Amino acid sequence: MPLPMYFLQSPMMFSSNSNQDVFTVQDGLLNLIHFGIYGFILKVHADKVSIEMDDIGKGIIELVYHYHIKKLVMGAAANKHYSEEMMDLKSKKAKYVQLRVPRSCQIWYICNGYLICEGDSTCSTTNGYRDSASFMQQKTDGSGLELELHEVSLSEENSYNLDQLEESSIDQLYCQLECAMLEAEKFKKQACEESLRRGEAEKTAIKAVRRATALESLYAKELRCRKEIEGALAREKEHHQRTKNQRDEERVISMDQKLLQHIQVSKFDEKLKEMNDERLSAVEQCKEYKSERDKLQVEHDNVLKLAKELEEELSRKQEEEASCSQMHPFLSDFSLVEIHEETFNFDPLLRIGEGGYGSTYRANLCHTPVAIKVLNPETTQGRLEFQHEVEILGKLRHPNLAILIGACSEACALVYEYLPNGSLEDRLNCKDNTAPLPWQARIRIATELCSVLMFLHSSKPHGTVHGGVKPGNILLDANLGCKLSGFGIYRALSLSENSRTTILPHVTDSMFTFPYLDPHFLETRELSPSSDTYSFGIILLQLLTGKSGFRIITEIIDEINETNLSSFLDPLAGDWPFVQASQLAQLALRCCARNRSGRPDLASDVWRVLEPMRTFCSEPVQFGSEESEQPPSYFFCPIMQEVMQDPHVAADGFTYEAEALTGWLQSGHNTSPMTNLVLGHLNLVPNRSLRSAIQDWRQQHPNAIF
Ligand SMILES: Nc1ncnc2c1ncn2[C@@H]1O[C@H](COP(=O)(O)OP(=O)(O)OP(=O)(O)O)[C@@H](O)[C@H]1O
């Protein structure tokens, strides 16, 4: 059962001399009402202790022993049993305690607030309680109020002295009590103020504690924050250090790379320099190669040009050789034996002339008089000249071109029709005391020469420039008809239609040839039709004056004019009609202009002057002996041996009477009656020039017998 007990916070001493003392417990305060001598109420703070035990008395005893309790107040009986007369203990629990409580513990037994008795274990009667008294004494010190109760044992013997003491010093006690009360009041006030201050201080302290707590938590927070910041700082520092290290490493790597790059750049620069040097040397080498290439190109071009020339030369030679081996279809190919036979082994008695090419012999082939020109083996240019002569005279036919009958390639011999009056050179010089040429013949020769030159210049497909027109190459037939030859003596030249450039001729006998050569050709080595015009002009002056070509260019050209013309005219030619002579002289001087552009055109200018003179000069010419009454041999048809009336040229180059040749062909022949070679074609071309010449001759020889 629970046992409530109250422990005093301050020890108290009670006097037990009065039964009027009452104990009450209220709100944690133990109220002691003393009605004895001093009659006051004392309120003492007490703590309530509850223990639980089956036996209450045992429990109290146990507590007394446990806490060494020296003073104990407990009930003597239940309050309902209280009475004025009550003197002893009625509660069994009180009796139990009384018997077993140690002697050091003093016990006050109360009931209904009144002290019933007091005493220790030895005190068993209530008298003992009435006889003992407690004395309460107050003692103060600087730290506070301490109430001490001094127990005064009031024995029976001392009770008188106490009464006396009370009576004598009551006033003093009152006085002390009042002082004590005042002092207590003062202390109480101080205690109250102190309590207030303490409260304030406690509040302040609490506030301080709270503040301290707050600060502490703030501090802790700050500490945590600081730790976090420090951690972050450390991490940042570490990161920074790591970054720094990394940057340092990168910087080192970068510096290494920079160094490496610098080295590489240096190497690259060196390499570049080397390459640049190499490039420059390559450029230099390239230039050298280029100049060498240019040189080689020039050499190559020259070589090509030379090769081309050689090729052309070769092809020409091949053609020449071919033409030598295969004679032109119009020409007869004679063997060396035949040549030997016909010339009686080149009998000097038959030799009728000597030139740069070789010797010319008179002979008869198939009963036809011919002139055979045989190459002098000692000349180097002969074979080429032979080829040109064959080439040109083999293709071209004109009444005023010497007829090439055939050739012997083996001996480089050329077989011409025989022209009984020899060369113009010889006739102008009256060689072998021949009669001088009358002015009519001279004009006719000039006209025919102009005619044949026009023919050559306009021949197709390429115009031909003779390039060596001189009196020695102008042969005269029985009627003093002009027959131009000598193509092979000077290289025969072919011109393209729009070109004046030609191959240079070989000048064989410059002494005799020089006066007739175009000065512009001598300067430029370019041959053109006007070169032949120049030669024609010199020959025309020679026909007028009868002077040599050398004298013409040195004396006549610069002197002759219209006023002194008469003094320059060749008197051997007869009485020159002055008008025609003057016209011819003017024409000749124009043809001899040093500047080519100043020379007249043969076809338009010269021929217009000469053609009218041709009719004027067509009177019969008495020249030489009776032989001149005989018609020229070429007037005769090779088949019929009669003077032709309608001459036609066949594919073999010979001229026949048309009727005779037609009969020959119709009888089943396809070969040449002259050469017995197969004809290239069976067409016949009228030889109008020859027909005209025959008709002229018939008119001039009306009494001649054919
Ligand atoms: N077909 C011919 N008929 C008659 N006589 C001719 C014939 N051909 C040449 N002659 C004569 O032979 C001579 C020499 O002729 P050739 O052609 O060799 O002399 P050239 O013309 O003075 O010489 P070259 O021109 O080679 O310097 C001529 O002067 C001429 O008298």
Side-chain angles (χ1 to χ4, degrees):
M1 91 184 270
L3 174 64
M5 291 191 72
Y6 295 92
F7 287 89
L8 294 176
Q9 290 180 345
S10 302
M12 288 189 305
M13 292 298 289
F14 295 94
S15 64
S16 56
N17 60 346
S18 173
N19 288 328
Q20 294 175 332
D21 293 341
V22 175
F23 291 90
T24 59
V25 176
Q26 187 179 8
D27 298 329
L29 291 174
L30 185 64
N31 301 321
L32 175 61
I33 303 168
H34 183 64
F35 300 102
I37 301 167
Y38 310 109
F40 61 89
I41 299 171
L42 187 63
K43 290 185 177 183
V44 180
H45 284 282
D47 295 326
K48 187 178 180 180
V49 176
S50 295
I51 62 169
E52 193 164 350
M53 195 167 278
D54 294 336
D55 191 338
I56 294 170
K58 263 174 98 174
I60 290 169
I61 292 300
E62 198 171 305
L63 283 173
V64 168
Y65 277 100
H66 182 74
Y67 292 106
H68 301 289
I69 294 170
K70 299 297 182 189
K71 292 178 173 57
L72 180 65
V73 177
M74 72 175 292
N79 287 341
K80 62 184 181 182
H81 298 300
Y82 176 73
S83 68
E84 289 283 338
E85 293 84 18
M86 187 175 177
M87 295 296 290
D88 55 353
L89 303 176
K90 292 190 184 304
S91 168
K92 290 179 181 176
K93 290 184 282 279
K95 288 176 182 174
Y96 181 85
V97 170
Q98 185 181 34
L99 289 174
R100 287 169 182 81
V101 77
R103 292 184 64 87
S104 57
C105 181
Q106 189 174 358
I107 303 172
W108 286 270
Y109 297 98
I110 62 172
C111 182
N112 199 25
Y114 297 99
L115 181 65
I116 302 304
C117 67
E118 60 182 310
D120 51 24
S121 56
T122 58
C123 173
S124 57
T125 64
T126 58
N127 295 336
Y129 296 107
R130 301 290 180 187
D131 293 337
S132 64
S134 294
F135 175 73
M136 196 168 61
Q137 187 178 2
Q138 279 188 329
K139 184 182 178 182
T140 59
D141 58 16
S143 64
L145 175 65
E146 186 180 353
L147 182 63
E148 288 185 359
L149 292 175
H150 299 280
E151 185 178 341
V152 180
S153 298
L154 297 175
S155 61
E156 291 291 339
E157 303 86 28
N158 294 331
S159 60
Y160 176 73
N161 295 334
L162 187 56
D163 292 336
Q164 279 184 331
L165 180 63
E166 285 178 355
E167 288 172 2
S168 64
S169 56
I170 192 150
D171 293 333
Q172 191 181 353
L173 284 173
Y174 269 111
C175 208
Q176 287 178 346
L177 186 61
E178 280 178 2
C179 286
M181 290 293 285
L182 286 173
E183 193 74 18
E185 195 65 30
K186 183 182 171 185
F187 283 134
K188 190 178 175 183
K189 198 176 178 181
Q190 284 179 346
C192 196
E193 287 174 359
E194 187 66 26
S195 177
L196 284 173
R197 278 200 302 273
R198 191 173 172 179
E200 287 296 322
E202 279 178 357
K203 281 181 184 175
T204 307
I206 288 166
K207 280 183 184 177
V209 166
R210 283 179 184 165
R211 188 176 173 79
T213 306
L215 285 173
E216 200 170 346
S217 69
L218 193 65
Y219 174 72
K221 196 175 172 185
E222 283 292 325
L223 202 62
R224 275 200 311 276
C225 194
R226 183 176 175 174
K227 279 182 181 175
E228 285 175 5
I229 288 170
E230 279 178 353
L233 193 65
R235 283 195 299 278
E236 190 64 30
K237 206 170 178 180
E238 191 180 351
H239 178 69
H240 174 70
Q241 188 64 33
R242 214 164 39 239
T243 307
K244 192 182 173 188
N245 292 340
Q246 197 173 347
R247 204 170 54 231
D248 288 345
E249 285 176 9
E250 286 175 355
R251 194 188 301 157
V252 169
I253 292 168
S254 169
M255 282 179 73
D256 288 347
Q257 285 178 347
K258 211 171 176 181
L259 193 63
L260 198 64
Q261 281 179 355
H262 185 70
I263 292 166
Q264 283 177 346
V265 165
S266 300
K267 284 182 181 175
F268 181 73
D269 283 346
E270 285 176 11
K271 188 85 179 168
L272 196 67
K273 196 179 174 187
E274 284 176 13
M275 287 174 71
N276 205 24
D277 291 343
E278 283 177 13
R279 187 183 66 82
L280 288 173
S281 66
V283 166
E284 286 297 321
Q285 207 166 5
C286 194
K287 281 181 183 173
E288 287 175 12
Y289 284 152
K290 201 174 176 184
S291 78
E292 201 170 335
R293 188 202 62 187
D294 291 344
K295 284 180 188 172
L296 287 171
Q297 185 68 39
V298 170
E299 284 179 20
H300 175 74
D301 291 344
N302 289 336
V303 168
L304 275 181
K305 201 173 172 184
L306 191 63
K308 197 175 177 185
E309 286 177 6
L310 288 171
E311 199 175 339
E312 287 174 0
E313 190 74 22
L314 185 65
S315 65
R316 197 161 47 242
K317 280 185 179 177
Q318 284 173 348
E319 284 175 13
E320 287 167 358
E321 284 173 6
S323 62
C324 284
S325 57
Q326 294 179 354
M327 196 54 67
H328 196 276
F330 288 173
L331 302 177
S332 298
D333 189 11
F334 298 102
S335 66
L336 184 59
V337 175
E338 287 176 304
I339 297 297
H340 272 277
E341 283 177 358
E342 298 303 326
T343 59
F344 297 97
N345 291 323
F346 308 113
D347 185 353
L349 293 174
L350 297 177
R351 187 162 54 200
I352 56 175
E354 188 80 31
Y357 182 81
S359 301
T360 304
Y361 300 86
R362 180 173 176 171
N364 280 297
L365 277 174
C366 301
H367 311 290
T368 304
V370 294
I372 301 174
K373 195 186 287 186
V374 183
L375 178 69
N376 183 356
E378 294 176 2
T379 60
T380 54
Q381 65 197 51
R383 189 158 192 88
L384 198 59
E385 294 168 4
F386 168 80
Q387 295 301 331
H388 284 291
E389 192 80 4
V390 168
E391 189 178 341
I392 292 170
L393 291 179
K395 288 191 297 187
L396 301 174
R397 288 289 182 274
H398 188 272
N400 299 114
L401 277 178
I403 296 174
L404 183 66
I405 296 170
C408 171
S409 58
E410 216 173 339
C412 286
L414 298 161
V415 181
Y416 296 93
E417 62 173 330
Y418 177 71
L419 298 167
N421 284 315
S423 69
L424 177 63
E425 180 82 29
D426 292 344
R427 298 290 75 77
L428 286 175
N429 292 331
C430 298
K431 188 181 176 185
D432 299 329
N433 292 316
T434 54
L437 291 172
W439 60 268
Q440 296 89 339
R442 299 187 189 202
I443 291 176
R444 277 186 56 205
I445 290 168
T447 306
E448 290 172 358
L449 180 59
C450 180
S451 172
V452 72
L453 287 176
M454 288 192 302
F455 171 78
L456 288 175
H457 294 170
S458 61
S459 62
K460 304 294 181 183
H462 302 295
T464 302
V465 176
H466 189 284
V469 180
K470 62 177 183 177
N473 288 330
I474 298 169
L475 301 174
L476 300 174
D477 61 14
N479 298 310
L480 299 180
C482 171
K483 296 287 183 175
L484 185 62
S485 69
F487 290 90
I489 306 307
Y490 300 91
R491 179 174 288 183
L493 306 162
S494 295
L495 288 175
S496 63
E497 287 184 351
N498 298 319
S499 172
R500 289 174 175 270
T501 305
T502 64
I503 302 169
L504 301 180
H506 295 290
V507 179
T508 55
D509 52 349
S510 58
M511 273 290 289
F512 301 102
T513 308
F514 174 72
Y516 306 95
L517 289 177
D518 176 11
H520 189 266
F521 160 72
L522 291 172
E523 289 175 9
T524 62
R525 315 305 289 179
E526 287 180 3
L527 202 57
S528 76
S530 65
S531 301
D532 286 343
T533 305
Y534 180 85
S535 304
F536 174 78
I538 298 294
I539 291 170
L540 195 53
L541 284 173
Q542 201 171 354
L543 288 168
L544 285 169
T545 62
K547 301 290 187 291
S548 68
F550 187 75
R551 288 191 66 185
I552 296 289
I553 61 169
T554 55
E555 299 175 10
I556 310 297
I557 281 185
D558 297 330
E559 296 295 328
I560 195 168
N561 53 51
E562 197 173 356
T563 55
N564 63 9
L565 175 63
S566 300
S567 62
F568 284 101
L569 291 174
D570 187 3
L572 295 174
D575 294 331
W576 282 93
F578 185 78
V579 176
Q580 282 75 14
S582 176
Q583 284 181 321
L584 289 173
Q586 289 176 20
L587 198 63
L589 288 173
R590 286 175 60 199
C591 290
C592 295
R594 291 189 67 82
N595 191 346
R596 283 181 172 176
S597 60
R599 297 171 195 164
D601 181 60
L602 291 179
S604 56
D605 298 335
V606 179
W607 184 251
R608 200 166 48 225
V609 175
L610 291 177
E611 198 193 16
M613 292 185 190
R614 191 181 179 192
T615 313
F616 180 75
C617 300
S618 61
E619 298 150 15
V621 178
Q622 296 297 322
F623 183 74
S625 63
E626 297 173 354
E627 203 176 350
S628 63
E629 292 293 321
Q630 296 295 321
S633 60
Y634 58 89
F635 282 7
F636 291 85
C637 173
I639 299 172
M640 298 173 69
Q641 292 298 318
E642 292 177 358
V643 174
M644 293 177 281
Q645 293 183 349
D646 188 13
H648 276 69
V649 181
D652 59 358
F654 288 93
T655 301
Y656 303 90
E657 180 61 43
E659 189 182 349
L661 188 62
T662 306
W664 170 264
L665 295 173
Q666 285 177 351
S667 64
H669 296 91
N670 62 349
T671 56
S672 168
M674 292 292 286
T675 62
N676 206 31
L677 297 171
V678 176
L679 294 167
H681 57 83
L682 303 179
N683 299 329
L684 300 176
V685 180
N687 192 337
R688 293 193 176 87
S689 301
L690 183 58
R691 185 180 180 185
S692 174
I694 291 169
Q695 287 174 351
D696 286 348
W697 194 90
R698 282 179 186 277
Q699 286 174 359
Q700 291 168 16
H701 302 84
N703 301 319
I705 301 169
F706 301 111

